[in-house]
Amino acid sequence: MKLVNPAMEFAAAFASYYKDFATNDVENAAYYAAGKINFPDYIENLSNAANGINLREGYVPCNHYWLINNRSILGVIRIRHNINTAFLALEGGHIGYDIAPAFRGLGYGKTMLKLALPKAKSLGINQALITADEDNMASRKIIEANGGQLENIIMGKVFANPLARYWVSCNQVCS
């Protein structure tokens, strides 16, 4: 199991990943729809995002990684290079992630975040802000298992629901 950069060689795996979301987590499937519509453009856009090219207003450079095992995409994690916008500093944080519905509850989220922390460190992030819906106990356990320290619970402004805000050291190795 490892984190990889999105690439054309994973087209079939991405199609399965998207189908899993479209069938079992429709609300979040929309986030990946562009990859279903035009995979080559999607890969190029993810590469551009990592390099800060053609960013939409309010967006910051962001690396995307796919957690793969046996050529299946188990999850996706995004590492924003900074949180220099009001939204990211309050609600979005440095790191966001999704586990494919078929692979949830199996510990992959914990592993994926553990593998991502050194990548965040290599981007100059010593302490990563990671947020989760207050009632998303699965995500909160992933963050806490990787050393996350709860700072506070706030009411989101863009996503008007309670959010748990955690800080995670990118300098440590967690079990």
Side-chain angles (χ1 to χ4, degrees), residues 26-112:
V26 176
E27 181 179 330
N28 289 311
Y31 186 79
Y32 301 104
K36 175 69 172 159
I37 294 166
N38 187 328
F39 191 70
D41 282 355
Y42 183 68
I43 295 299
E44 181 179 359
N45 289 337
L46 295 180
S47 176
N48 285 346
N51 293 306
I53 299 169
N54 297 325
L55 296 176
R56 297 189 314 201
E57 186 175 335
Y59 280 62
V60 301
C62 179
N63 287 51
H64 294 73
Y65 298 100
W66 295 345
L67 181 68
I68 62 163
N69 191 21
N70 298 325
R71 310 263 327 144
S72 292
I73 299 173
L74 309 177
V76 172
I77 195 159
R78 298 166 292 283
I79 305 173
R80 296 173 195 95
H81 297 197
N82 64 69
I83 54 172
N84 295 341
T85 71
F87 168 72
L88 292 177
L90 185 67
E91 295 180 54
H94 287 100
I95 298 175
Y97 49 83
D98 297 304
I99 296 295
F103 297 107
R104 291 179 183 164
L106 301 173
Y108 295 124
K110 177 181 169 184
T111 299
M112 185 168 63

Side-chain angles (χ1 to χ4, degrees), residues 8 10-11 19 29 33 37 46 51 56 67 83 90 92 116-117 130 133 135 162 165 168:
M8 290 301 299
F10 300 109
K19 183 178 180 185
I37 294 166
L46 295 180
N51 293 306
R56 297 189 314 201
L67 181 68
I83 54 172
L90 185 67
L117 291 174
I130 307 175
D133 287 344
D135 63 357
R165 300 175 78 248
V168 180

